[in-house]
Amino acid sequence: MDMLINGTAAHAAEETWIEVKNPATGEFIDRVPRGSREDVNAAVEAADAAFGAWAEKTTRDRGLILYHAAALIRRDHKALAELLTREQGKPIRESTDEVRGCANILEYYASIAGMPAGENISLGKAGDCLVTRVPLGVCGAIIPWNMPVIIMGWKVGPALLAGNTLVLKPASATPLTNLRIAGLMQEAGLPAGVLNVVTGPGEITGAALVRHPQIKKISFTGDCATGYRIREMADSHLAALTLELGGSDPMIVMADADIPKAVEGALRGRFYNAGQICTAVKRLYLHEKIAEEFMRLLTAKTEGLAVGNGLAPGTDMGPLNSAEQLGRISSVIRETTEREEGTIRAGGCPLTGPGFDKGFFYKPTLIAGVAPDAEILNNEIFGPVLPVVTVPDLSAAIREANHSKYGLGASVWTRDLATVKQVYREVHAGIIWVNRHLTVPPEVPFGGTNESGIGRENGSKALDSYTQSKTLYLGW
Ligand code: NAD
């Protein structure tokens, strides 16, 4: 599949390719150009040329195009979901949710096309100020491989509605569905150059995009270490930044919780997308009164998950996305076992044998009896492994929940309002869920504190972040 530059399919300046393969089978799916700095320059030029006319359209006209694009995504959702499962690995049910989720996001932004609103400031005799919100110019979006379609929606929706033009850099493992959706956006009436997609390695095309002096804002989702490098590069020309980085979300289950519901929450929260989600449940804190019962139910459910090719009906969990991912998760378990940090209650090894030998499958894994200061809790585990800690009370749970460099999401499972209040006030996170985890509808701001990032995506605040104010001072 080719890149999309200035509304047309583009090869790389130098004709070399990146192969995209199915992580469940190793099957070759397609190839995309290994883009270069020249390709990024061409895309930024196209976006710059398209900016004036796009910014002059009404937000309503821009919103209508997003709305039409959402309709085309819905029309093609089956093919898009299948492509996403083939390149990413997740079960087709999850891919379908993700593709529909992207349409929901575009529709949401189309629906708030009356924004961003400005304001009038009366200065009495000295005059009046009219403050409007204007777009920034050419923006860059850098996407990871775990939720490429939703994250594309989070960036494309507000950036384009606000009147910016965009150059998007997908992850090399999952560029295909992003490119297909960009094509649908053209079909929906997006003028040439408004959305450009350049494929290629992060250190080359991604870095060239961030460093480009004409880029006014970068919205990046990915690893913390990459986020730090991006900040340095963007600072060199003062580009605005949204950084959505890693997370190590705690889930706290109190003694008064609805236990079966919380067990389902932990199962979905940890094993959805094979655990490769920034806001997955990555640390489970159980009140000691219910810990044993909870673990008995959770272990049975975890062992009952059907792991397999995401295209097969009935699959609950697909493969990890790459050999590197499989290697990382295997090392986490090996090192945790060597340090004797807990007891493996389910899984704990790769899934091998007929049907699994060409893919990157790991068994859904539970580790019980983990001490609060165990090494395994210090880093983000980006895969299907859940360490479980037993706590004596809420204060201990909150203290341990905050014992992390991250602060993306957190959940508390309880029926008690005072518990909710204390968790909401004291746990450091961008979102606190009560009796659920993971869900982030388009209206809800999403982003973290501490090393989980800066800025927010989703909701009307994200739209604001793609604009700046401009003031007309009327001295009567
Ligand atoms: P990654 O940082 O390796 O890659 C993300 C993107 O950045 C890719 O497109 C990559 O090509 C590009 N990139 C890599 N190096 C670059 C550079 N030097 N300059 C510019 N671009 C570069 O991350 P990943 O492994 O794809 O994603 C996994 C990480 O993303 C996890 O830590 C996860 O928690 C995080 N994540 C966060 C959120 C969130 O919203 N907070 C959402 C999803 C994933």
Side-chain angles (χ1 to χ4, degrees):
M1 218 180 273
D2 290 325
M3 299 188 287
L4 179 73
I5 299 181
N6 206 16
T8 53
H11 298 290
E14 292 167 38
E15 289 237 338
T16 55
W17 305 89
I18 294 171
E19 292 193 343
V20 183
K21 292 185 177 169
N22 186 330
T25 60
E27 154 220 19
F28 169 82
I29 309 170
D30 205 340
R31 60 182 199 175
V32 294
R34 187 179 289 276
S36 62
R37 183 198 295 240
E38 289 71 42
D39 299 308
V40 172
N41 291 345
V44 174
E45 247 170 62
D48 191 44
F51 174 66
W54 181 245
E56 274 185 5
K57 279 185 184 294
T58 61
T59 43
R60 185 173 172 278
D61 284 344
R62 292 194 292 262
L64 270 177
I65 293 175
L66 295 185
Y67 192 72
H68 291 320
L72 297 182
I73 292 171
R74 290 194 191 286
R75 181 195 70 190
D76 290 359
H77 78 269
K78 279 198 176 135
L80 290 166
E82 190 182 316
L83 184 60
L84 179 58
T85 287
R86 288 174 69 212
E87 65 176 340
Q88 205 281 340
K90 64 187 70 186
I92 194 76
R93 186 166 23 93
E94 294 182 17
S95 290
T96 305
D97 284 352
E98 188 170 340
V99 167
R100 289 198 178 125
C102 180
N104 291 343
I105 293 164
L106 298 185
E107 283 164 1
Y108 165 72
Y109 281 107
S111 79
I112 59 165
M115 298 174 70
E119 60 177 329
N120 281 310
I121 301 171
S122 170
L123 300 170
K125 278 188 192 157
D128 281 283
C129 282
L130 174 66
V131 185
T132 63
R133 303 292 306 182
V134 297
L136 303 173
V138 181
C139 298
I142 301 181
I143 310 271
W145 48 263
N146 64 331
M147 303 283 287
V149 171
I150 279 284
I151 292 171
M152 177 179 187
W154 283 354
K155 298 184 191 309
V156 167
L160 297 192
L161 184 71
N164 304 282
T165 53
L166 199 62
V167 178
L168 183 139
K169 211 291 289 170
S172 296
T174 56
L176 303 176
T177 323
N178 286 157
L179 280 163
R180 198 59 74 70
I181 290 176
L184 291 177
M185 296 194 72
Q186 297 289 125
E187 193 184 329
L190 207 61
V194 170
L195 173 63
N196 307 275
V197 183
V198 180
T199 50
E203 314 78 59
I204 297 171
T205 48
L209 182 59
V210 180
R211 285 204 184 100
H212 199 294
Q214 262 168 293
I215 290 288
K216 302 293 186 214
K217 167 171 173 146
I218 287 287
S219 178
F220 167 80
T221 302
D223 193 54
C224 269
T226 319
Y228 276 101
R229 289 167 67 194
I230 285 184
R231 181 160 201 177
E232 265 178 45
M233 292 189 275
D235 277 356
S236 69
H237 56 105
L238 297 181
L241 267 187
T242 299
L243 296 177
E244 299 289 359
L245 308 177
S248 181
D249 286 13
M251 168 172 173
I252 299 172
V253 186
M254 296 309 292
D256 68 334
D258 176 337
I259 300 300
K261 187 175 169 187
V263 167
E264 287 299 333
L267 197 74
R268 181 172 185 276
R270 179 66 275 197
F271 301 117
Y272 197 84
N273 201 20
Q276 302 165 121
I277 302 192
C278 47
T279 60
V281 172
K282 296 194 180 126
R283 297 173 289 147
L284 178 59
Y285 295 97
L286 298 179
H287 191 283
E288 61 188 13
K289 282 195 189 144
I290 47 92
E292 216 179 296
E293 183 200 355
F294 195 99
M295 285 308 289
R296 190 174 43 76
L297 293 172
L298 182 61
T299 305
K301 293 260 180 195
T302 302
E303 285 175 337
L305 288 174
V307 182
N309 188 328
L311 291 177
T315 294
D316 294 315
M317 194 182 99
L320 295 170
N321 180 252
S322 63
E324 293 76 44
Q325 271 288 100
L326 185 59
R328 261 181 231 140
I329 294 303
S330 302
S331 320
V332 166
I333 294 299
R334 198 179 46 251
E335 288 161 15
T336 306
T337 314
E338 279 167 11
R339 289 192 303 261
E340 299 182 352
E341 284 187 339
T343 312
I344 307 265
R345 287 284 288 268
C349 59
L351 197 52
T352 49
F356 299 109
D357 47 348
K358 294 201 174 115
F360 311 120
F361 295 96
Y362 201 89
K363 289 185 184 170
T365 298
L366 299 174
I367 311 178
V370 176
D373 59 351
E375 179 74 23
I376 189 175
L377 301 169
N378 290 342
N379 292 312
E380 176 180 34
I381 308 170
F382 212 59
V385 173
L386 183 57
V388 186
V389 181
T390 303
V391 285
D393 53 33
L394 182 60
S395 302
I398 292 175
R399 189 175 60 245
E400 300 313 332
N402 282 336
H403 188 71
S404 168
K405 64 180 178 179
Y406 297 108
L408 196 53
S411 64
V412 59
W413 298 69
T414 181
R415 294 180 167 102
D416 177 39
L417 200 52
T419 300
V420 172
K421 183 173 154 193
Q422 195 177 344
V423 169
Y424 184 67
R425 287 206 173 151
E426 295 179 17
V427 171
H428 309 312
I431 182 166
I432 308 281
W433 286 279
V434 179
N435 298 331
R436 64 193 310 152
H437 202 111
L438 273 190
T439 328
V440 190
E443 301 84 350
V444 177
F446 178 71
T449 59
N450 303 337
E451 291 194 39
S452 286
I454 45 178
R456 294 288 178 265
E457 293 196 300
N458 247 6
S460 59
K461 292 287 175 238
L463 187 55
D464 278 352
S465 78
Y466 283 97
T467 67
Q468 58 195 332
S469 73
K470 187 166 185 182
T471 302
L472 181 67
Y473 190 134
L474 300 161
W476 300 125

